[in-house]
Structures are given as C-alpha cells and as structure tokens.
Amino acid sequence: MADTFLDIAIDALREITVLGATDLAPEAVDAQLCLRTGNRMLDAWAARKVYAYSIDFTAYTLVPNLAPHTIGPTGATFTVGQRPVRLEGAALILNNVTPNVDSPILNIRDAAWWNNQRVKSLKTAVPTDVYYNPAWPNGQLNFWPVPDFAYGVRLETWVLLPQFTNLTDPFSFPPAFREAFVLSLAELLCRPFGKKQQEVPDLKGDAARARAIFQSNNAKSPRIASADYGSEGSPTAGSRPTFNYYSGQ
C-alpha cells in the first residue's frame, strides 16, 4: 500500500521526537500544521531546477494573430494546473506536413530583448523568437514575430512539484525524494514544536546530505563549446599541439 502524506508527517515528527516510535498518529491540529508546512516547502522547491526531477515536452496549438499566448489555470490559451516556472526551450510543430516536423525556436529571449523589440506586432507564419514572462496566475508567451498560422508548438518546461490537499493524499515521488522530504520537513517542524537544534544534533547534516543526493540527479552540467579548443594548424617541431584555456597559451 502506498504511503500517504500522513505517513510522511509521522516519520518527520518521529525524527524530532514529537512522536515516539509506537505513537500511531499526531493530534489533528499537529497533522494539519505538517500539511501546511510541507506544502510551503514544496512551493519553495518548485522554484529551483535542482528539485525539478523531470522535463515536460507538451504540445499545444497556436492561435493565429494572438499575442501574447497565455499558459496557466485561469482562462489561459494553454490550460495547465500551474503556470511553468521557466521556459527551457520551444519548437514549432509543422503540422501541415506528414509526418509532422519539429522546427526548434532557437531564440529563447529575456525581458531586456523584448523591451528593445521595436515592432512587437510584426506577423509571420514562422516565429523565430519567444520571450516568456512568468506572470501570475497565467504566464505569457510572447512569440515573435506573432504567428498567423495555427502551427503546433512544443514547450520544454520543468515538471512542477504537486501540492497536497489532504493528509490521505498518496506520496509518490522518484527515488531519494522521500528521505530528502522527510528530513527537510523535520527541520522546518523543529521551531513550531519548540525543538532546539542541539536536541536533534544530526538532523541538519542528514537533511542536507539527503537533499544533495536527490539534487545530484537533476543538476546537470551544461553543454559547452569554445573557439579556443585545441590549437590551430599542424604541430611543428618543438611546438605543443595543445591549448591551455585558462592561461591562453
């Protein structure tokens, strides 16, 4: 049987000795405090990529001549449970050919670029740029030029950490998340339950190590390239066919 949030809360309370090993459940008010604290923690974690354990590649259909397209839960062009924290990538789906073809929108722009764009309403069938404004509750996708054809678009976004509604909600996350969540929740519960740091001496270090294990799978080194790689031409007598990027030699 899958664990529920209540099971996780009990484990966290046992970590800080609010509950004993044989205690079956906390008081109702204490359980609700655990639920609210856990959701606060998830809300903070959702803003950091190291906690985004997966990437979503979701396809939508563009609305011709609409600017901006919105994405979120409230009357948005693209309806999702919560607007994405960040847009990692995008591709235009050429849906007028068989099979469909993904054409990457290579230029993911920032606010400064959008501010300096002189003709924001320029239209074309094939947008080359997109600026994502993570407004709330709906984010804004500013495609440029404004698409005037109903192509598809595939958005690359972080998976969002779900919030818990009830204590009986199932707790289902990838490997290593449970330990990081239990120990981190225990840390946050120390203060409201009047526990001092020295009363749980190993908790801070254990929680940090558990988070590091989970985060290590999500913090990937970016792909990089350098024009200075290697050396120009063929090596000659007495020369070194290598290049030190740091020294420039």
Side-chain angles (χ1 to χ4, degrees), residues 84-219:
V85 175
R86 180 173 173 173
L87 179 65
E88 289 287 328
L92 200 66
I93 304 174
L94 306 181
N95 52 18
N96 58 345
V97 295
T98 303
N100 293 172
V101 176
D102 277 22
S103 177
I105 300 176
L106 298 176
N107 302 315
I108 309 299
R109 301 295 191 174
D110 59 15
W113 179 89
W114 183 245
N115 180 63
N116 290 326
Q117 193 59 43
R118 300 296 180 89
V119 186
K120 294 180 172 62
S121 59
L122 183 67
K123 295 180 181 179
T124 184
V126 180
T128 58
D129 305 75
V130 59
Y131 158 57
Y132 177 61
N133 175 25
W136 186 265
N138 296 329
Q140 298 174 344
L141 292 154
N142 297 275
F143 294 99
W144 188 90
V146 178
D148 60 8
F149 187 85
Y151 280 128
V153 65
R154 196 180 311 279
L155 303 179
E156 178 186 353
T157 58
W158 304 351
V159 69
L160 291 172
L161 299 175
Q163 297 274 300
F164 293 95
T165 303
N166 301 299
L167 292 166
T168 54
D169 287 348
F171 188 89
S172 178
F173 287 94
F177 191 94
R178 177 192 174 108
E179 184 74 355
F181 189 91
V182 167
L183 295 178
S184 299
L185 178 60
E187 278 189 297
L188 291 180
L189 292 175
C190 281
R191 186 161 53 190
F193 283 102
K195 294 291 181 177
K196 296 180 180 179
Q197 191 74 36
Q198 56 268 32
E199 294 181 65
V200 196
D202 298 325
L203 178 60
K204 184 175 181 179
D206 290 346
R209 282 187 289 273
R211 289 190 296 268
I213 291 171
F214 179 77
Q215 293 170 0
S216 65
N217 291 325
N218 309 320

